[in-house]
mmCIF file of all heavy atoms in Angstrom:
data_model
loop_
_atom_site.group_PDB
_atom_site.id
_atom_site.type_symbol
_atom_site.label_atom_id
_atom_site.label_comp_id
_atom_site.label_asym_id
_atom_site.label_seq_id
_atom_site.Cartn_x
_atom_site.Cartn_y
_atom_site.Cartn_z
ATOM 1 N N LEU A 302 -5.379 5.401 -4.307
ATOM 2 C CA LEU A 302 -6.491 5.358 -3.399
ATOM 3 C C LEU A 302 -7.458 6.483 -3.790
ATOM 4 O O LEU A 302 -7.061 7.673 -4.004
ATOM 5 C CB LEU A 302 -6.140 5.512 -1.916
ATOM 6 C CG LEU A 302 -5.256 4.346 -1.408
ATOM 7 C CD1 LEU A 302 -4.929 4.695 0.057
ATOM 8 C CD2 LEU A 302 -5.966 3.099 -1.457
ATOM 9 N N ARG A 303 -8.750 6.190 -3.891
ATOM 10 C CA ARG A 303 -9.670 7.167 -4.399
ATOM 11 C C ARG A 303 -9.778 8.469 -3.598
ATOM 12 O O ARG A 303 -9.697 8.375 -2.379
ATOM 13 C CB ARG A 303 -11.064 6.517 -4.630
ATOM 14 C CG ARG A 303 -11.810 6.249 -3.270
ATOM 15 C CD ARG A 303 -13.161 5.629 -3.588
ATOM 16 N NE ARG A 303 -13.875 5.395 -2.271
ATOM 17 C CZ ARG A 303 -14.890 4.598 -2.128
ATOM 18 N NH1 ARG A 303 -15.431 4.028 -3.190
ATOM 19 N NH2 ARG A 303 -15.544 4.552 -0.960
ATOM 20 N N VAL A 304 -9.930 9.559 -4.182
ATOM 21 C CA VAL A 304 -10.203 10.750 -3.478
ATOM 22 C C VAL A 304 -11.720 11.065 -3.435
ATOM 23 O O VAL A 304 -12.182 11.788 -2.581
ATOM 24 C CB VAL A 304 -9.476 11.963 -4.128
ATOM 25 C CG1 VAL A 304 -7.954 11.794 -4.013
ATOM 26 C CG2 VAL A 304 -9.990 12.164 -5.578
ATOM 27 N N ALA A 305 -12.449 10.390 -4.312
ATOM 28 C CA ALA A 305 -13.892 10.559 -4.324
ATOM 29 C C ALA A 305 -14.557 9.431 -5.221
ATOM 30 O O ALA A 305 -13.832 9.063 -6.237
ATOM 31 C CB ALA A 305 -14.422 11.879 -4.796
ATOM 32 N N PRO A 306 -15.699 8.910 -4.941
ATOM 33 C CA PRO A 306 -16.314 7.886 -5.831
ATOM 34 C C PRO A 306 -17.101 8.489 -6.960
ATOM 35 O O PRO A 306 -17.865 7.660 -7.700
ATOM 36 C CB PRO A 306 -17.185 7.121 -4.808
ATOM 37 C CG PRO A 306 -17.666 8.216 -3.877
ATOM 38 C CD PRO A 306 -16.508 9.115 -3.812
ATOM 39 N N GLU A 307 -17.079 9.710 -7.238
ATOM 40 C CA GLU A 307 -18.060 10.431 -8.097
ATOM 41 C C GLU A 307 -18.078 9.893 -9.515
ATOM 42 O O GLU A 307 -19.270 9.606 -10.035
ATOM 43 C CB GLU A 307 -17.781 11.880 -8.203
ATOM 44 C CG GLU A 307 -18.625 12.700 -8.989
ATOM 45 C CD GLU A 307 -18.365 14.144 -8.906
ATOM 46 O OE1 GLU A 307 -17.674 14.604 -7.950
ATOM 47 O OE2 GLU A 307 -18.878 14.965 -9.745
ATOM 48 N N LEU A 308 -17.020 9.624 -10.178
ATOM 49 C CA LEU A 308 -17.096 9.287 -11.580
ATOM 50 C C LEU A 308 -17.707 7.862 -11.725
ATOM 51 O O LEU A 308 -18.426 7.590 -12.716
ATOM 52 C CB LEU A 308 -15.762 9.347 -12.171
ATOM 53 C CG LEU A 308 -15.059 10.711 -12.147
ATOM 54 C CD1 LEU A 308 -13.606 10.726 -12.931
ATOM 55 C CD2 LEU A 308 -15.916 11.807 -12.736
ATOM 56 N N TYR A 309 -17.355 6.971 -10.788
ATOM 57 C CA TYR A 309 -17.925 5.620 -10.803
ATOM 58 C C TYR A 309 -19.495 5.636 -10.635
ATOM 59 O O TYR A 309 -20.259 5.076 -11.357
ATOM 60 C CB TYR A 309 -17.331 4.693 -9.791
ATOM 61 C CG TYR A 309 -15.874 4.270 -10.164
ATOM 62 C CD1 TYR A 309 -14.838 4.716 -9.459
ATOM 63 C CD2 TYR A 309 -15.726 3.321 -11.280
ATOM 64 C CE1 TYR A 309 -13.573 4.240 -9.748
ATOM 65 C CE2 TYR A 309 -14.430 2.965 -11.552
ATOM 66 C CZ TYR A 309 -13.389 3.370 -10.808
ATOM 67 O OH TYR A 309 -12.088 2.891 -11.130
ATOM 68 N N LEU A 310 -19.949 6.431 -9.642
ATOM 69 C CA LEU A 310 -21.415 6.552 -9.360
ATOM 70 C C LEU A 310 -22.113 7.133 -10.542
ATOM 71 O O LEU A 310 -23.238 6.716 -10.885
ATOM 72 C CB LEU A 310 -21.617 7.417 -8.114
ATOM 73 C CG LEU A 310 -21.062 6.770 -6.771
ATOM 74 C CD1 LEU A 310 -21.195 7.731 -5.599
ATOM 75 C CD2 LEU A 310 -21.772 5.433 -6.517
ATOM 76 N N LYS A 311 -21.538 8.127 -11.265
ATOM 77 C CA LYS A 311 -22.272 8.720 -12.366
ATOM 78 C C LYS A 311 -22.301 7.703 -13.539
ATOM 79 O O LYS A 311 -23.326 7.732 -14.332
ATOM 80 C CB LYS A 311 -21.565 10.014 -12.755
ATOM 81 C CG LYS A 311 -21.992 11.176 -11.851
ATOM 82 C CD LYS A 311 -21.511 12.447 -12.380
ATOM 83 C CE LYS A 311 -20.118 12.839 -12.253
ATOM 84 N NZ LYS A 311 -19.763 14.227 -12.505
ATOM 85 N N GLN A 312 -21.276 6.863 -13.700
ATOM 86 C CA GLN A 312 -21.442 5.797 -14.767
ATOM 87 C C GLN A 312 -22.514 4.777 -14.439
ATOM 88 O O GLN A 312 -23.173 4.282 -15.334
ATOM 89 C CB GLN A 312 -20.082 5.095 -14.825
ATOM 90 C CG GLN A 312 -18.995 5.880 -15.343
ATOM 91 C CD GLN A 312 -17.683 5.169 -15.483
ATOM 92 O OE1 GLN A 312 -17.545 4.180 -16.187
ATOM 93 N NE2 GLN A 312 -16.623 5.637 -14.804
ATOM 94 N N LEU A 313 -22.864 4.610 -13.151
ATOM 95 C CA LEU A 313 -23.913 3.776 -12.779
ATOM 96 C C LEU A 313 -25.243 4.400 -13.191
ATOM 97 O O LEU A 313 -26.172 3.687 -13.572
ATOM 98 C CB LEU A 313 -23.983 3.394 -11.248
ATOM 99 C CG LEU A 313 -22.738 2.570 -10.796
ATOM 100 C CD1 LEU A 313 -22.802 2.497 -9.316
ATOM 101 C CD2 LEU A 313 -22.899 1.111 -11.471
ATOM 102 N N VAL A 314 -25.352 5.722 -13.005
ATOM 103 C CA VAL A 314 -26.572 6.461 -13.479
ATOM 104 C C VAL A 314 -26.696 6.350 -15.005
ATOM 105 O O VAL A 314 -27.835 6.075 -15.490
ATOM 106 C CB VAL A 314 -26.473 7.910 -12.991
ATOM 107 C CG1 VAL A 314 -27.765 8.698 -13.516
ATOM 108 C CG2 VAL A 314 -26.461 8.065 -11.563
ATOM 109 N N ILE A 315 -25.616 6.444 -15.721
ATOM 110 C CA ILE A 315 -25.682 6.298 -17.100
ATOM 111 C C ILE A 315 -26.199 4.868 -17.483
ATOM 112 O O ILE A 315 -26.980 4.638 -18.411
ATOM 113 C CB ILE A 315 -24.309 6.509 -17.761
ATOM 114 C CG1 ILE A 315 -23.878 7.960 -17.588
ATOM 115 C CG2 ILE A 315 -24.251 6.086 -19.256
ATOM 116 C CD1 ILE A 315 -22.407 8.225 -17.972
ATOM 117 N N GLY A 316 -25.799 3.897 -16.669
ATOM 118 C CA GLY A 316 -26.205 2.521 -16.924
ATOM 119 C C GLY A 316 -27.622 2.235 -16.543
ATOM 120 O O GLY A 316 -28.125 1.082 -16.623
ATOM 121 N N GLY A 317 -28.370 3.190 -15.874
ATOM 122 C CA GLY A 317 -29.811 2.999 -15.588
ATOM 123 C C GLY A 317 -30.120 3.002 -14.118
ATOM 124 O O GLY A 317 -31.325 2.775 -13.840
#
Side-chain angles (χ1 to χ4, degrees):
L302 292 180
R303 70 180 181 194
V304 297
E307 177 170 349
L308 301 185
Y309 284 113
L310 293 174
K311 284 193 281 194
Q312 289 180 61
L313 291 174
V314 178
I315 294 171

